[in-house]
Amino acid sequence: MSTYKDIFSLKGRTALVTGSSRGIGASIAQAYAAYGARVVLHGQRPGATAEIEKAIRAAGGDAVSIHRELSPPSAGRDLIAAAEGAAGPLDILVINASAQINGALHEVTPEDFATQIDVNLRSTVEMLQAALPAMAERGWGRVVNIGSVNQLRPKSIVSIYAATKAAQHNLIQSLARDYASRGVLLNTLAPGLIDTDRNAARRDGDPEAWSNYVRTLNWMGRAGRPDEMVGAALFLASDACSFMTGEAVVLSGGF
């Protein structure tokens, strides 16, 4: 790194941000583009990322979109191949897309279990298998896994989701050790409650109950915003993060 003002620059880097059609993923993708990265947007359905791609291009950034479901076998490897086919070798991988199905453990169906395991864990393994060796060969890479405070303090209503998030970070820690000497750094960003579409039904269904809940949830007394995840995500993807790997950065408002 040449000067301190350049340590957050992503100029010349290519980043894939999974689940970047909305919420945290969309905010991270737009920030990476603003800092110079070529961004590969990912959504489940065709057209899902159109508005984010349009916004990035309107701001002078560079973005392309690909669309894949992450639940089928080999979906993670296929996604990496598609991203590299569209934009070239990946320098940065943001694992953000996830499945969260709320319910007590006795209510979890085999389908609910399989969906969360496949999307949150199996596709993560496949993406890491496909992306890490090439990053290591080039001598530089960043993986930013979007975890959850539930990996540390799980709630029973999201027991399977929480378990998959804990497993994701376990993977990040074990692989961080293997790849550290080859310039590839892997870390987890663990958000607390963020006001996204995922929470819209609960928020809009009973606004008063939602307000009371978030007021007592953390020291700040509110839910976070997707854009408040951007600073840490930018740090973890840049040269500023040159001496950090295998860690979890928790952004929870003091939860």
Side-chain angles (χ1 to χ4, degrees):
M1 60 187 80
S2 56
T3 64
Y4 289 124
K5 75 173 186 176
D6 295 328
I7 62 174
F8 290 101
S9 173
L10 301 181
K11 187 175 182 180
R13 305 296 188 191
T14 299
L16 167 62
V17 183
T18 71
S20 44
S21 62
R22 59 185 183 178
I24 293 172
S27 292
I28 290 173
Q30 291 177 88
Y32 284 4
Y35 275 77
R38 186 178 196 196
V39 177
V40 181
L41 300 168
H42 161 256
Q44 182 173 317
R45 298 175 304 281
T49 57
E51 290 301 314
I52 305 303
E53 183 176 342
K54 181 179 178 182
I56 288 174
R57 292 184 180 278
D62 187 2
V64 296
S65 294
I66 54 177
H67 305 97
R68 295 284 192 287
E69 291 192 20
L70 289 176
S71 55
S74 299
R77 284 187 289 272
D78 293 344
L79 180 60
I80 297 298
E84 292 184 332
L90 293 177
D91 303 295
I92 301 161
L93 170 61
V94 180
I95 303 172
N96 171 68
S98 67
Q100 178 182 323
I101 301 173
N102 293 4
L105 186 63
H106 69 274
E107 299 172 330
V108 175
T109 67
E111 293 76 18
D112 292 341
F113 178 79
T115 295
Q116 292 175 98
I117 292 294
D118 289 343
V119 174
N120 301 353
L121 191 54
R122 187 178 66 192
S123 75
T124 294
V125 171
E126 292 173 351
M127 284 187 280
L128 293 171
Q129 287 175 324
L132 289 176
M135 289 179 179
E137 187 174 334
R138 294 191 298 273
W140 198 98
R142 298 287 188 271
V143 174
V144 183
N145 176 56
I146 305 302
S148 168
V149 291
N150 284 288
Q151 73 197 45
L152 304 170
R153 295 176 61 182
K155 299 185 185 72
S156 60
I157 196 172
V158 290
S159 56
I160 305 303
Y161 172 79
T164 63
K165 288 298 173 179
Q168 275 186 325
H169 185 56
N170 186 282
L171 279 169
I172 292 299
Q173 288 182 305
S174 61
L175 291 165
R177 182 173 186 172
D178 292 342
Y179 282 88
S181 64
R182 290 179 277 178
V184 181
L185 310 181
L186 302 89
N187 293 285
T188 293
L189 193 168
L193 180 67
I194 307 300
D195 196 354
T196 66
D197 291 352
R198 179 168 282 176
N199 299 304
R202 184 177 183 184
R203 180 191 63 222
D204 300 339
D206 192 339
E208 184 177 356
W210 171 263
S211 179
N212 291 336
Y213 171 65
V214 299
R215 198 162 39 239
T216 60
L217 182 65
N218 57 49
W219 294 339
M220 293 187 179
R222 63 175 177 85
R225 303 187 309 272
D227 64 282
E228 291 181 304
M229 305 299 104
V230 162
L234 181 61
F235 164 71
L236 294 174
S238 69
D239 282 332
C241 185
S242 60
F243 197 56
M244 178 177 174
T245 195
E247 301 289 356
V249 178
V250 179
L251 275 69
S252 67
F255 173 66

